[in-house]
Amino acid sequence: MLEAPQLNAFAVPGGTIFLTRGLVERMRSEAELAGVLSHEIAHVLKKHHLKAIQKNAQAGLAAEAASMAMKDSNSEARGKLASFGTEMYARGLDKSDELEADRLGIVIAARGGYDAYGLPAVLQTLQAMNPQDSGLALMFKTHPAPAERLGALGEKMQPTLDAYAAQPQLAERFRSFLGSR
């Protein structure tokens, strides 16, 4: 956990997941934490960050080749080309990667026995916040808007969400397991 008031979570290649204290303090249940962690686990499983790094490296090579091809010594143009990779990283993952991680994250959390609506609950909390809040600036820069993410989940996953929500939750399954012995 990062001791930061901002609201964010992210994974890095290799599987380390970071959550800010600001985000965790806004959560109301373990299911919400499981939903966010599962979203980040999905990024790792799908290698979204590795693919983004590879894509940025290819773009960087193309920018370097273009810079070398320039005959004049226009440092401003070269600077813009060199910063292209940095800008790509700062923008975050592709929107499709984020939406895929939302869908897979819900499945991972639900299969682990958590409420399938944990991640959507976090997105609803974020949606209700002021988008101009400085604590949200980086998250809103690197992720699709919460309303868009919620809409995509509802459109593609509503029957799945309902099915998972109807399953016994973790504590109930544990009691059931103990009772069967």
Side-chain angles (χ1 to χ4, degrees), residues 9-39:
F10 56 94
V12 295
T16 303
I17 296 172
F18 295 93
L19 296 132
T20 61
R21 180 167 297 283
L23 178 62
V24 175
E25 287 176 346
R26 297 277 181 157
M27 293 179 184
R28 296 178 305 261
S29 71
E30 190 175 346
E32 291 184 9
L33 176 61
V36 171
L37 288 173
S38 295
H39 169 94

Side-chain angles (χ1 to χ4, degrees), residues 14-89:
T16 303
I17 296 172
F18 295 93
L19 296 132
T20 61
R21 180 167 297 283
L23 178 62
V24 175
E25 287 176 346
R26 297 277 181 157
M27 293 179 184
R28 296 178 305 261
S29 71
E30 190 175 346
E32 291 184 9
L33 176 61
V36 171
L37 288 173
S38 295
H39 169 94
E40 298 305 331
I41 290 168
H43 281 310
V44 174
L45 291 172
K46 290 297 193 171
K47 299 181 178 167
H48 289 155
H49 293 88
L50 181 60
K51 291 174 187 173
I53 289 169
Q54 290 170 335
K55 184 168 68 173
N56 289 343
Q58 290 171 349
L61 289 173
E64 187 176 328
S67 177
M68 291 172 71
M70 292 174 59
K71 301 286 186 209
D72 62 58
S73 61
N74 184 339
S75 62
E76 182 181 339
R78 271 201 295 274
K80 286 182 181 178
L81 288 170
S83 68
F84 180 73
T86 304
E87 174 62 24
M88 291 290 289
Y89 178 76

Side-chain angles (χ1 to χ4, degrees), residues 7-180:
L7 282 70
N8 209 347
F10 56 94
V12 295
T16 303
I17 296 172
F18 295 93
L19 296 132
T20 61
R21 180 167 297 283
L23 178 62
V24 175
E25 287 176 346
R26 297 277 181 157
M27 293 179 184
R28 296 178 305 261
S29 71
E30 190 175 346
E32 291 184 9
L33 176 61
V36 171
L37 288 173
S38 295
H39 169 94
E40 298 305 331
I41 290 168
H43 281 310
V44 174
L45 291 172
K46 290 297 193 171
K47 299 181 178 167
H48 289 155
H49 293 88
L50 181 60
K51 291 174 187 173
I53 289 169
Q54 290 170 335
K55 184 168 68 173
N56 289 343
Q58 290 171 349
L61 289 173
E64 187 176 328
S67 177
M68 291 172 71
M70 292 174 59
K71 301 286 186 209
D72 62 58
S73 61
N74 184 339
S75 62
E76 182 181 339
R78 271 201 295 274
K80 286 182 181 178
L81 288 170
S83 68
F84 180 73
T86 304
E87 174 62 24
M88 291 290 289
Y89 178 76
R91 282 196 309 237
L93 298 173
D94 290 342
K95 179 167 68 170
S96 62
D97 290 343
E98 291 296 342
L99 299 178
E100 180 180 38
D102 285 346
R103 292 188 305 269
L104 183 56
I106 285 173
V107 171
I108 292 168
R111 287 184 178 173
Y114 292 97
D115 183 353
Y117 285 97
L119 179 61
V122 172
L123 294 173
Q124 288 171 338
T125 298
L126 295 174
Q127 183 180 20
M129 295 180 70
N130 180 355
Q132 306 306 319
D133 183 331
S134 63
L136 295 172
L138 182 59
M139 181 179 296
F140 284 170
K141 183 177 180 183
T142 59
H143 291 77
E148 181 180 356
R149 293 170 71 183
L150 286 164
L153 285 172
E155 179 182 316
K156 297 208 179 226
M157 295 216 36
Q158 196 60 58
T160 305
L161 280 164
D162 292 341
Y164 278 127
Q167 77 179 2
Q169 297 300 303
L170 193 59
E172 186 181 334
R173 287 188 358 212
F174 185 68
R175 283 190 300 275
S176 172
F177 171 74
L178 289 175
S180 67

